[in-house]
Each structure stands twice: as C-alpha cells, then as structure tokens.
Amino acid sequence: MDLNKAAAPQRASKTAVIAAFAAIYVVWGSTYLGILYALESFPPFLLAAFRFIIAGLLLLGWSFLQGERLPPLSSMRKIALAGLLMLYLGNGSVTWVEQYLPSGLAAIVVATVPLWFVLLDRKQWSYYFSNGGIIAGLLIGFAGVLVLFAGKESTGIFNTPVKLISLGVLVCGTIGWAVGSLYTKYQPMQGSTTMRAGLQMLAAGLAFLATAALTKEYGIFTFSAVTARSLLALVYLIIFGSLIGYLAYIWLLGVRPASIVGTYAYVNPVVAVFLGWAFVGERISVQQMVGLGVIIAGLLLVNLYKEKPTAPEKPLSLEVNTQKV
C-alpha cells in the first residue's frame, strides 16, 4: 500500500478495503479505551507527548528513507499550526478530560465534529444554509446533544465543577479540531502526506512536553511506576491509533468517496461506548443511548446533503479528521 500515492479504485481489493474500514471503525473507536488505560500510569500531557513524538518521528523517518526532504519553512509553519489545532487542542482535550469523564461520553461529544465543520466553514455557508436537508440535520444533531445532557441522568456532570469544566474543555477542543481541519483544507501546504503528518505530530508532541513542564507533571511521573497495561496501551495508541488507523484512512480516501470514508465518525462513539461498558464498567443510560442515536441521525442527514451536486466537494487534505489518531 503506497502511503503517498492513492491507489486506483479498480486496483483496491475488497479484502484491503474491508481491513482498512475495520481499522478506522474499530481501532479509532477503541483509542478512547486505550487512553483510559494509559492514564492509569501516565499523566495526560506526558502521555500525549510520548504518543505523538514517537509516532511523528517514525513517520518522518519513513519519509526520509523514501528520499524526501523537509518542505519550505512557510509550509512547515502552516503544518505545525494545523497540528497544534487538531492534535494538541483536539486530541489533547480528549486525553485530559478522560481523567474525569467516561470514555464513552467523551466519544459521543467528539461525534459532533461534523456539525462544527458545517457551522464554521464560511466559504460554504451560502450552499449549506440554503439546503433544507443540512439545516434539518444540524437541528436534529443539536437536539441529540440536548437529549444527551438533559434530565436526571446528567445532573452529576453539571453538579460537579471539574466534570463541567472537562465538558467545556472537550467542546473547545472539538471546535479547535474543526478550525484546524478547515485551515488545512484551504491553506496550501507542501510535502507528502506522511511528511506532513509526521511534522504535525511532532509539533503537537513538543507542545505537550512544554505543557507537561508548566503543569509540573515531570515531578509526579516515574517510569518505574508505569504498569504493563498502561505501557501496552501507549504502544497500542502509537502503532494502531496514530499509524495504522491514520494511514488506513489516508489510503481509503484515495479509493473510496470521502463521504463514505467519513462514516467512521458515526461508528467510533458506538465502539467507544460498548468497550467502556464491557471492560471498565462505565454506565451508559438509556437517555445517553437515545442521545447518541439522535446525534448520529443528524450527522447522517448532514452528510447526505453536504456535497454540492454540481461540483463534488474536493476531498479534505489528508490531515483532516485525525482527532481519533
């Protein structure tokens, strides 16, 4: 599988396509549980720093072995900014809030990302907001969010300051992810896919290292206290979440329509909710499941009408939608 050149659709075997979809459906959904296990021994910012620095160096090493060079400084600045918005703010918020919120609930909130794309993509507003299907999908999606957090089932979140703050941080991180993705979409950047992904991860990893120093995580962390389960979870996040899942997503964009590949956003929260219930006993109420179902219905409706029939939307740059890496 060529990482920098999309294969022609007719050359994509059915087995490879199924395996790639399994990676972005199941693996990305399982990273929420992986983060939860890793947090047993790693403080959140150091965990994210280890994950993205190692994964970024591996991708850069691969790029250099292929004879590539670093892109111009002007492109590197744009790539780094995109990495900070998507991975540092987006993925970092998920890592931090899972200290206080159930992994399944975090995944459901992150599932609203496609709604933020529509709301923040000003260049497409004239089309989006003249389309009744998209407007209906947005309203249904936000109704699902209201169902998710309304009633007695969610009073624990709103009565606990740290959980309420965590929810706010996660929403801000989700918006940051959308902003970074749109920035990547509209700003030209040089370099191969693997080179840009590696630079994004390295920029985010270094920012996490600095944040860990500011929050004094170095003083509370020792490698001798790391459990086998947490270490295996970190390795899983690096290999399966940040490398295999992400590269499978890139390859699928070259052989299948972007709208179909993007359905991972509907499946990930279902996987995360189930794994959280099965392995760590996270309680998922009927109300939360109904809220998740309504959100997914809204996202599906938005996705059905999102692309212009006269000029299909150009696939997002390959860094887009990597919050689950």
Side-chain angles (χ1 to χ4, degrees), residues 137-158:
L138 287 173
L139 293 175
I140 292 172
F142 281 111
V145 174
L146 293 177
V147 171
L148 182 65
F149 295 109
K152 297 180 179 179
E153 296 288 351
S154 300
T155 54
I157 294 176
F158 294 102

Side-chain angles (χ1 to χ4, degrees), residues 149-188:
F149 295 109
K152 297 180 179 179
E153 296 288 351
S154 300
T155 54
I157 294 176
F158 294 102
N159 291 338
T160 307
V162 69
K163 290 185 177 181
L164 186 58
I165 292 171
S166 298
L167 183 61
V169 168
L170 186 57
V171 171
C172 290
T174 302
I175 294 173
W177 175 271
V179 172
S181 297
L182 291 171
Y183 177 80
T184 301
K185 176 180 179 179
Y186 292 119
Q187 289 292 324

Side-chain angles (χ1 to χ4, degrees), residues 226-289:
V226 175
T227 64
R229 185 163 75 171
S230 289
L231 185 59
L232 287 173
L234 174 59
V235 173
Y236 181 85
L237 291 171
I238 292 170
I239 296 176
F240 291 93
S242 296
L243 296 178
I244 293 177
Y246 180 59
L247 295 179
Y249 171 73
I250 290 174
W251 182 75
L252 280 171
L253 283 176
V255 300
R256 289 293 183 270
S259 59
I260 301 300
V261 179
T263 56
Y264 82 87
Y266 317 140
V267 181
N268 283 177
V270 178
V271 174
V273 166
F274 174 76
L275 292 178
W277 167 77
F279 287 93
V280 293
E282 292 182 349
R283 295 182 59 188
I284 302 297
S285 67
V286 174
Q287 176 186 322
Q288 289 173 331
M289 293 304 296

Side-chain angles (χ1 to χ4, degrees), residues 31-299:
T31 55
Y32 291 91
L33 181 63
I35 290 171
L36 192 64
Y37 282 152
L39 286 172
E40 292 176 355
S41 302
F42 291 96
F45 298 120
L46 276 179
L47 168 63
F50 291 144
R51 175 184 177 181
F52 288 114
I53 288 176
I54 294 172
L57 289 176
L58 288 173
L59 287 177
L60 289 177
W62 172 265
S63 299
F64 291 139
L65 286 175
Q66 302 304 303
E68 298 180 43
R69 296 182 179 180
L70 289 172
L73 185 59
S74 58
S75 282
M76 289 182 64
R77 285 196 293 263
K78 294 178 181 178
I79 293 168
L81 178 57
L84 291 175
L85 288 169
M86 290 189 289
L87 298 178
Y88 178 70
L89 291 180
N91 189 275
S93 66
V94 174
T95 302
W96 186 81
V97 304
E98 281 202 37
Q99 299 175 103
Y100 311 108
L101 297 179
S103 60
L105 179 59
I108 294 173
V109 175
V110 171
T112 62
V113 164
L115 303 181
W116 291 112
F117 272 108
V118 172
L119 291 175
L120 296 172
D121 192 355
R122 294 184 60 183
K123 292 187 176 182
Q124 301 294 331
W125 277 0
S126 60
Y127 172 71
Y128 288 160
F129 294 111
S130 64
N131 190 307
I134 292 177
I135 294 174
L138 287 173
L139 293 175
I140 292 172
F142 281 111
V145 174
L146 293 177
V147 171
L148 182 65
F149 295 109
K152 297 180 179 179
E153 296 288 351
S154 300
T155 54
I157 294 176
F158 294 102
N159 291 338
T160 307
V162 69
K163 290 185 177 181
L164 186 58
I165 292 171
S166 298
L167 183 61
V169 168
L170 186 57
V171 171
C172 290
T174 302
I175 294 173
W177 175 271
V179 172
S181 297
L182 291 171
Y183 177 80
T184 301
K185 176 180 179 179
Y186 292 119
Q187 289 292 324
M189 302 177 191
Q190 298 183 36
S192 70
T193 297
T194 50
M195 174 65 74
R196 288 177 296 183
L199 289 172
Q200 281 188 349
M201 292 182 185
L202 193 58
L206 293 175
F208 281 122
L209 276 183
T211 306
L214 290 174
T215 56
K216 300 180 180 179
E217 287 187 354
Y218 297 108
I220 62 174
F221 173 73
T222 58
F223 279 104
S224 60
V226 175
T227 64
R229 185 163 75 171
S230 289
L231 185 59
L232 287 173
L234 174 59
V235 173
Y236 181 85
L237 291 171
I238 292 170
I239 296 176
F240 291 93
S242 296
L243 296 178
I244 293 177
Y246 180 59
L247 295 179
Y249 171 73
I250 290 174
W251 182 75
L252 280 171
L253 283 176
V255 300
R256 289 293 183 270
S259 59
I260 301 300
V261 179
T263 56
Y264 82 87
Y266 317 140
V267 181
N268 283 177
V270 178
V271 174
V273 166
F274 174 76
L275 292 178
W277 167 77
F279 287 93
V280 293
E282 292 182 349
R283 295 182 59 188
I284 302 297
S285 67
V286 174
Q287 176 186 322
Q288 289 173 331
M289 293 304 296
V290 170
L292 173 60
V294 175
I295 290 171
I296 290 176
L299 295 179

